[in-house]
């Protein structure tokens, strides 16, 4: 029997929770709820339905450095898109404020690595 339930899919520390929540809401198609030191993104459909992605204010937040053993990423998000939409998804992610860290080696790999506006790494993966 489970002792607890998992309410938030992930909680990201960041300097500006509202700004980062807006980035992920636009990227993933969610809805921003709340303001201030704790902001959530909720989803009405898809695999994230009834799940929450939360953002917590962390004064002095130092983003991970990817790749680095000294300031390792700790975790990252893999976000899947149909292979034929990968370039379009990348353009949209970059327009929203993502930064490309590592491409897919000319299509040899099934993922590309990015940094979100607060510095957390995430991947766009070909589905």
């Amino acid at each position: 029997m489970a002792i607890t339930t998992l309410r938030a899919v992930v909680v990201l520390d960041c300097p500006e929770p509202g700004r980062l929540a807006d980035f992920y809401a636009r990227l993933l198609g969610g809805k921003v709820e709340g303001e201030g030191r704790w902001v959530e993104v909720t989803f009405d459909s898809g695999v994230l339905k009834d799940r929450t992605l939360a953002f917590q204010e962390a004064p002095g937040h130092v983003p991970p450095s990817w790749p680095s053993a000294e300031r390792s990423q700790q975790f990252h998000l893999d976000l899947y898109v149909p292979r034929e939409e990968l370039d379009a998804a990348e353009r949209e992610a970059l327009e929203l404020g993502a930064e490309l860290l590592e491409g897919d080696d000319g299509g040899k790999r099934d993922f590309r690595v990015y940094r979100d506006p607060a510095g957390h790494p995430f991947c766009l993966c070909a589905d």
Side-chain angles (χ1 to χ4, degrees), residues 67-106:
S68 170
E70 294 170 1
R71 286 190 5 228
S72 66
Q73 65 180 336
Q74 304 295 316
F75 79 97
H76 71 274
L77 300 172
D78 282 344
L79 308 176
Y80 288 85
V81 297
R83 180 177 300 284
E84 63 275 6
E85 296 175 21
L86 192 56
D87 290 337
E90 176 177 273
R91 280 191 300 278
E92 289 184 42
L94 295 173
E95 287 174 10
L96 291 171
E99 176 187 350
L100 178 66
L101 297 177
E102 187 174 305
D104 59 7
D105 196 20

Side-chain angles (χ1 to χ4, degrees), residues 2-126:
I3 296 170
T4 65
T5 58
L6 180 62
R7 182 167 179 221
V9 174
V10 139
V11 179
L12 294 171
D13 288 350
C14 59
E16 299 176 70
R19 180 172 179 240
L20 196 57
D22 184 64
F23 170 81
Y24 280 103
R26 290 172 183 251
L27 192 67
L28 298 169
K31 177 182 168 188
V32 175
E33 296 186 7
E35 58 183 53
R37 298 185 57 138
W38 181 275
V39 180
E40 297 179 346
V41 175
T42 59
F43 305 90
D44 294 330
S45 62
V47 297
L48 293 175
K49 183 177 179 179
D50 300 325
R51 298 286 185 247
T52 302
L53 185 56
F55 305 89
Q56 171 178 275
E57 183 180 36
H61 170 72
V62 178
S65 180
W66 187 92
S68 170
E70 294 170 1
R71 286 190 5 228
S72 66
Q73 65 180 336
Q74 304 295 316
F75 79 97
H76 71 274
L77 300 172
D78 282 344
L79 308 176
Y80 288 85
V81 297
R83 180 177 300 284
E84 63 275 6
E85 296 175 21
L86 192 56
D87 290 337
E90 176 177 273
R91 280 191 300 278
E92 289 184 42
L94 295 173
E95 287 174 10
L96 291 171
E99 176 187 350
L100 178 66
L101 297 177
E102 187 174 305
D104 59 7
D105 196 20
K108 294 179 185 173
R109 294 190 322 214
D110 290 337
F111 64 93
R112 300 172 186 172
V113 183
Y114 305 83
R115 178 184 352 248
D116 72 21
H120 304 102
F122 70 92
C123 296
L124 290 180
C125 304

